[in-house]
Amino acid sequence: MTRNGETVKWITARRRHPLAGYAVVILALTLFGVGYAVIAPSAERAEAQTLAADAAAAEQQPSQEDVAAGREIFTKSCASCHGPDGTGGEGYTGPDITGEGAAAVDFQVSTGRMPSMDPDQQMPRKPSAFTQEEIDDLVAYYNAEIGDEGSPPVPTDIPHSAPERSDFEDHHAYEEALEEWETEYESYIEGADDTEAGMKLYLANCAHCHSWSGGGGALTGGRWAPEIHDSTPRQIYEAMITGPGAMPAFNDTTITPDEKQDMIAYVKDLQHEANAGGFFDLNRVGQVAEGFISWTVGITLIVACAIWITAKQRAHD
Amino acid sequence: MSRTTQAPKALRNAGNYIDDRFHLAKTGKKQLGKVFPNHWSFMLGEIALYSFIILLVTGVFLTLWFKPSMAEIVYDGSYERLQGVPMSEAYASTLYINFDVRGGMLIRQIHHWAALIFVAAMLVHMLRVFFTGAFRKPREINWLIGVALFALAMVEGLFGYSLPDDLPSGMGVRILQGVLMALPIIGTYASMFLFGGEFPGEDIIPRLYMLHILLIPGILLALIGAHMLILWHQKHTQYPGKGHTEKRVVGTPMLPAFAVKAGGFFFFVFAVTAGLSAFVQVNPIHLFGPFTPTSITSGLQPDWYMGFMEGALRIFPNWFDVDVAGYSLATAVLVPGLVIPGLIFGALALWPFIEQWLSGDKRHHNVADRPRNAPVRTGMGVAGITFYGLLWMAGANDVLSETFSVSLYATTWFFRIAVIVGPIIGFIVTKRICLGLQLRDREQLEHGYESGTIQQLPSGEFIEVHKESSEDTVHVLESKEPVSRIEVQAFDENGVEAPSSRGLMGRLRLRLADWYTRDNVSFEGVRPHSGHHLHHGAHEEEHSPEQDREEATT
């Protein structure tokens, strides 16, 4: 097409057309409408999306190298008790873990409880033997070759532990990751809007073992409910869906993910709540510690004063 | 300015005005000069008194804002974490005291720490009175008042703990209701009556509030008044020493010296309480959250003075629960909830009379016993402390189990056995130690004290030089009285049974009296510093320690 002897683009030639404006508006509306319809959640699409996301995750996570690395970790650190295929059984001290789910793997290994020194003892929380990357590899291997279909997956949308400086080469990248993690963490905790539900659910379902403060407590048969102050929200979530040790499982039907978020937010908020009553919080042990202090500090100091003010010089004998 | 011993004119006139009308000068002079013995253990009751004053003052402050109501409201106060949470007005008003009343949190904490110290001071005061035999005639009534005060203070504390309607409050009240329900026949009625219906109802906090701020403090105040008046009238006991006799109290006069000391001591008690309250968080009700009947938590205990009952409840087995005509008799709750505290307080109240019954001793006692000189009483006291202390620890068995990584069941079994074996061991060991100390006292009285100076005799023998004890020490050592005992002669020379030893009670009394007085080191005939190796070497054959030991055990 030419104008004034020059070749111009088709669209440029029609820019000033009286209908051009309408055409643009209609086009924009169509785009928005179709776009919205595609993005907006509906049951079917949500499912489709989840599947897509799962597929994407499945595609993204277990590269063959990851699975291979995971297999190596499993063979070295897990198979001696759980067996080469994770079914435990004859000749192995560990239980069948095929139905436990990736969430359990992530929970047990990231809290340092597995690998266990002594399978007959309840394992305390300790620093994990593996980096998060190694745990992810292990989870990938578990998902690929051991775990049953439908066993609880790792709740990847719940914030996990803060990034470690040692995992990053330069400080900047670490700071960035830390900031990102903090945002994620805070939005998760602040995203819980029902304090009352969180409190009631926590005090009805968790506190009778882990205590009102999350400080843990004694259980029957030599077991104990651990303190959960060091646990990340994801670990708490994983513990709820998998029920490690003596803990019952609270699946997502019994307590919905939103309610779990309320509970986690409640106990984490409480943990970070300042001690308005004074500098010493006595570990929030409560009345036992208060009684102890009232005797060892209170009465003791006062009696010491009584001894002081009634002291007299004694004749030597 | 000239120095004058006269008071300023204005004061003198005021004094004369009052004295002309009430004739107070003479009694005033006498009373203000009242003598207080100088020993720290006589200050223990004062700690309780001062804590009580602190409790009254802080308690009045708290009532200005506390609302004893269980009406449910939605919290919208300044404590952000609980905004939007439904709770009782009692809990909300306690949050208001904590966070909106100036100094409210501090006063609440002072009130709580003072309560813990109040009961602790009563307990140590009571132990002092027990171990020194200061409950003996003429002070039995004051001892009974003291036991009542102690029991009331526990109940007062329990009710106060229940008022804020936070999580521990509700759990405490729930246990109270459980114990009530365990009462045979009237249990459910009593519970419905107290709670005005089913647990928790709407009535319990207003009712406990009335008891906590009106009835029980009123009784406490009246009993404390009586306790002090009787003390004033009967005067203090005193420890044995130079010039201390049954008829004469030695110490500091009230004005000016003792009043200054006591005033200073009040401020020290207050300083410790306030210092604790400023720096150590106590009963953080805002962290616990409001009580709802579905809430429950581990690691929660009552305040320490209820600990022995909590412990009894935790370790008492349910083996004796029976059904009677279709109704269950919950002995596992009834025994620890009522029988064990009943036994402890009953034994405390009866002890002075039991001792009198066994020793036949009806004399006035104003000089305190040294605990070692009453070995059975001291042993019983230690047995009691062991029993109480073990129950108290059992009340914290979950905390102990968690802190020291011991199996919870193991602690339960340990305490079940220890509360029975422990007091027996405590009694035997204490009695032995008392008798050993008596032996040493006699040794020291006869031979003086070991000076630590070693001398070599010309014969080559080494001896430790004993020196004479001071006059004061001799007084203390000589204060040991011969044990008064009832006539243990059950039969006269004709073989007729003595009237007092007839029947079951008579025989029991004889047995117990024998047990109570049998083991004692006699000081009869011992003259101070008459022993040989005071001046010369040791001549064991003259007075061998073996002889002493035999006397002690026969």
Side-chain angles (χ1 to χ4, degrees):
Chain A
M1 198 173 280
T2 60
R3 182 184 287 178
N4 303 335
E6 280 178 32
T7 309
V8 286
K9 285 184 184 156
W10 180 83
I11 192 144
T12 313
R14 279 157 188 82
R15 269 166 74 177
R16 309 277 165 117
H17 194 276
L19 293 177
Y22 297 102
V24 168
V25 169
I26 287 169
L27 194 67
L29 285 174
T30 315
L31 267 177
F32 269 104
V34 173
Y36 176 74
V38 171
I39 296 166
S42 75
E44 257 172 61
R45 284 213 185 75
E47 201 177 310
Q49 267 175 355
T50 314
L51 287 176
D54 280 356
E59 216 171 295
Q60 190 190 14
Q61 278 178 356
S63 73
Q64 280 314 305
E65 296 91 72
D66 290 347
V67 172
R71 177 182 293 116
E72 194 179 325
I73 294 171
F74 187 87
T75 315
K76 276 184 183 165
S77 305
C78 315
S80 62
C81 297
H82 294 291
D85 53 357
T87 51
E90 194 82 11
Y92 294 101
T93 49
D96 181 354
I97 56 167
T98 52
E100 297 298 323
V105 176
D106 189 50
F107 174 82
Q108 299 283 359
V109 180
S110 71
T111 58
R113 290 186 166 86
M114 288 286 148
S116 156
M117 299 282 186
D118 180 353
D120 295 330
Q121 293 293 318
Q122 184 182 349
M123 296 307 295
R125 185 189 178 92
K126 54 180 189 286
S128 177
F130 304 106
T131 64
Q132 191 55 47
E133 207 180 330
E134 290 170 319
I135 298 172
D136 291 342
D137 291 345
L138 187 61
V139 165
Y141 170 71
Y142 177 89
N143 279 335
E145 300 193 11
I146 295 177
D148 287 344
E149 198 81 4
S151 60
V154 177
T156 46
D157 50 339
I158 320 276
H160 207 18
S161 48
E164 300 258 346
R165 177 66 186 88
S166 52
D167 293 344
F168 292 88
E169 300 214 332
D170 71 310
H171 194 67
H172 188 67
Y174 165 69
E175 296 237 304
E176 230 166 52
L178 187 65
E179 202 169 305
E180 189 188 337
W181 174 82
E182 273 170 2
T183 322
E184 194 192 354
Y185 186 91
E186 268 160 32
S187 77
Y188 184 76
I189 298 296
E190 277 160 23
D193 47 8
D194 197 341
T195 319
E196 195 212 348
M199 181 172 73
K200 275 198 170 157
L201 287 167
Y202 182 82
L203 290 178
N205 294 297
C206 317
H208 51 76
C209 298
H210 293 285
S211 110
W212 64 275
S213 67
L219 294 181
T220 51
R223 292 177 159 274
W224 75 93
E227 183 186 76
I228 56 178
H229 289 161
D230 292 337
S231 307
T232 66
R234 186 186 295 179
Q235 285 165 347
I236 298 177
Y237 197 100
E238 285 167 347
M240 281 195 268
I241 54 178
T242 61
M247 179 166 162
F250 302 91
N251 64 34
D252 286 351
T253 331
T254 321
I255 294 179
T256 66
D258 278 349
E259 288 170 336
K260 287 195 173 84
Q261 188 176 358
D262 288 336
M263 291 158 82
I264 293 169
Y266 172 77
V267 73
K268 284 287 157 193
D269 267 347
L270 182 65
Q271 179 189 336
H272 296 124
E273 168 88 19
N275 291 301
F279 181 75
F280 299 102
D281 67 348
L282 309 180
N283 271 354
R284 295 189 180 171
V285 167
Q287 295 76 7
V288 173
E290 291 161 10
F292 185 73
I293 294 296
S294 64
W295 279 88
T296 54
V297 178
I299 273 286
T300 307
L301 275 183
I302 297 171
V303 169
C305 170
I307 293 172
W308 173 48
I309 63 173
T310 53
K312 59 170 181 182
Q313 206 166 5
R314 287 179 70 113
H316 183 258
D317 40 0
Chain B
M1 265 230 201
S2 65
R3 279 151 59 95
T4 171
T5 50
Q6 275 204 322
K9 198 169 173 229
L11 265 182
R12 233 181 316 144
N13 286 346
N16 286 338
Y17 182 88
I18 294 169
D19 195 44
D20 286 346
R21 280 153 188 81
F22 300 107
H23 307 290
L24 283 174
K26 205 173 156 214
T27 16
K29 190 160 191 293
K30 190 179 164 213
Q31 297 303 334
L32 293 177
K34 185 187 149 49
V35 154
F36 286 83
N38 236 335
H39 193 273
W40 64 268
S41 69
F42 290 107
M43 309 288 277
L44 299 173
E46 270 171 58
I47 306 175
L49 178 67
Y50 299 151
S51 310
F52 185 69
I53 293 170
I54 297 171
L55 283 168
L56 283 184
V57 174
T58 51
V60 168
F61 182 91
L62 295 175
T63 57
L64 299 181
W65 291 280
F66 180 73
K67 294 195 185 84
S69 152
M70 293 178 89
E72 193 179 75
I73 57 164
V74 175
Y75 182 71
D76 64 346
S78 56
Y79 183 56
E80 217 169 296
R81 201 172 63 89
L82 292 181
Q83 275 170 1
V85 174
M87 57 180 67
S88 68
E89 275 196 288
Y91 185 71
S93 63
T94 315
L95 286 179
Y96 183 80
I97 292 173
N98 267 0
F99 296 107
D100 298 274
V101 175
R102 193 175 297 273
M105 176 78 103
L106 181 67
I107 299 287
R108 249 201 73 239
Q109 300 212 125
I110 292 179
H111 195 70
H112 203 112
W113 280 118
L116 297 180
I117 290 173
F118 174 53
V119 193
M122 290 175 99
L123 185 58
V124 285
H125 171 58
M126 187 169 73
L127 290 177
R128 195 281 293 172
V129 171
F130 181 84
F131 283 115
T132 60
F135 54 79
R136 290 174 298 175
K137 192 176 171 186
R139 296 185 177 77
E140 307 99 314
I141 304 297
N142 234 10
W143 169 261
L144 287 180
I145 292 178
V147 173
L149 278 170
F150 185 49
L152 273 175
M154 275 175 48
V155 178
E156 173 75 348
L158 171 72
F159 290 172
Y161 184 84
S162 309
L163 289 182
D165 203 20
D166 58 335
L167 180 58
S169 294
M171 285 170 64
V173 175
R174 186 58 150 166
I175 295 179
L176 174 71
Q177 190 228 5
V179 173
L180 265 185
M181 296 267 272
L183 288 172
I185 303 169
I186 60 158
T188 47
Y189 297 96
S191 166
M192 292 295 262
F193 174 70
L194 180 65
F195 287 83
E198 291 291 349
F199 175 87
E202 297 247 301
D203 291 339
I204 187 69
I205 284 183
R207 288 177 182 182
L208 292 184
Y209 183 67
M210 182 280 289
L211 295 171
H212 181 74
I213 72 155
L214 180 70
L215 188 64
I216 302 178
I219 301 174
L220 280 175
L221 202 56
L223 287 179
I224 289 174
H227 202 67
M228 307 269 306
L229 280 177
I230 294 176
L231 154 87
W232 204 278
H233 180 71
Q234 295 181 332
K235 314 215 166 33
H236 272 83
T237 53
Q238 57 185 340
Y239 289 119
K242 198 175 143 192
H244 300 196
T245 69
E246 295 286 0
K247 303 259 176 216
R248 187 158 161 263
V249 191
V250 176
T252 318
M254 170 142 132
L255 269 183
F258 188 78
V260 173
K261 275 189 182 185
F265 193 47
F266 170 81
F267 285 110
F268 194 87
V269 172
F270 184 70
V272 170
T273 315
L276 275 174
S277 311
F279 294 110
V280 190
Q281 175 163 280
V282 67
N283 199 29
I285 59 110
H286 58 290
L287 298 179
F288 292 130
F291 175 71
T292 68
T294 59
S295 307
I296 188 81
T297 172
S298 68
L300 209 63
Q301 265 74 17
D303 277 335
W304 76 260
Y305 41 83
M306 298 301 286
F308 79 99
M309 289 176 74
E310 172 85 14
L313 203 55
R314 286 185 186 204
I315 65 171
F316 197 82
N318 63 351
W319 310 327
F320 312 106
D321 287 3
V322 284
D323 278 0
V324 182
Y327 295 96
S328 67
L329 188 64
T331 47
V333 180
L334 209 53
V335 173
L338 294 170
V339 177
I340 288 179
L343 273 178
I344 290 177
F345 284 101
L348 280 175
L350 287 178
W351 183 260
F353 307 100
I354 295 174
E355 219 186 272
Q356 243 173 49
W357 184 57
L358 293 182
S359 64
D361 184 357
K362 301 263 193 255
R363 290 168 299 164
H364 277 242
H365 290 279
N366 291 320
V367 176
D369 261 340
R370 303 176 79 208
R372 68 188 62 173
N373 290 341
V376 174
R377 180 204 297 148
T378 306
M380 288 300 281
V382 171
I385 291 178
T386 315
F387 183 64
Y388 180 93
L390 284 166
L391 284 179
W392 180 11
M393 279 170 76
N397 67 349
D398 58 332
V399 175
L400 293 175
S401 157
E402 201 207 349
T403 311
F404 299 107
S405 302
V406 196
S407 160
L408 186 71
Y409 286 174
T411 65
T412 303
W413 274 102
F414 169 78
F415 285 119
R416 276 178 183 171
I417 296 165
V419 291
I420 296 166
V421 178
I424 297 173
I425 296 174
F427 176 80
I428 294 170
V429 170
T430 310
K431 201 174 143 196
R432 291 309 319 165
I433 292 174
C434 286
L435 291 172
L437 288 171
Q438 287 189 10
L439 275 177
R440 203 190 67 174
D441 281 356
R442 189 169 79 177
E443 167 86 10
Q444 195 185 343
L445 188 59
E446 259 190 326
H447 302 289
Y449 72 99
E450 296 172 352
S451 66
T453 314
I454 308 291
Q455 249 180 20
Q456 190 177 22
L457 300 181
S459 61
E461 185 189 4
F462 285 99
I463 56 156
E464 182 176 9
V465 177
H466 284 236
K467 288 186 176 163
E468 285 196 13
S469 307
S470 71
E471 210 179 333
D472 233 13
T473 309
V474 171
H475 266 287
V476 171
L477 295 176
E478 278 189 317
S479 72
K480 186 174 183 313
E481 293 177 338
V483 175
S484 97
R485 48 202 300 173
I486 56 170
E487 194 52 61
V488 191
Q489 183 87 35
F491 298 93
D492 65 11
E493 61 273 20
N494 301 323
V496 177
E497 212 175 354
S500 61
S501 63
R502 271 182 217 145
L504 205 61
M505 282 305 270
R507 275 199 294 277
L508 178 72
R509 184 180 175 208
L510 279 187
R511 281 274 176 79
L512 286 176
D514 184 45
W515 164 76
Y516 189 75
T517 54
R518 187 176 47 209
D519 295 334
N520 217 323
V521 177
S522 173
F523 276 35
E524 262 168 74
V526 175
R527 281 178 298 113
H529 308 134
S530 59
H532 279 269
H533 53 248
L534 186 64
H535 309 297
H536 318 292
H539 291 283
E540 291 297 332
E541 68 274 14
E542 294 226 354
H543 201 99
S544 75
E546 273 67 38
Q547 277 176 334
D548 289 347
R549 225 161 276 140
E550 267 167 40
E551 273 182 58
T553 44
T554 46

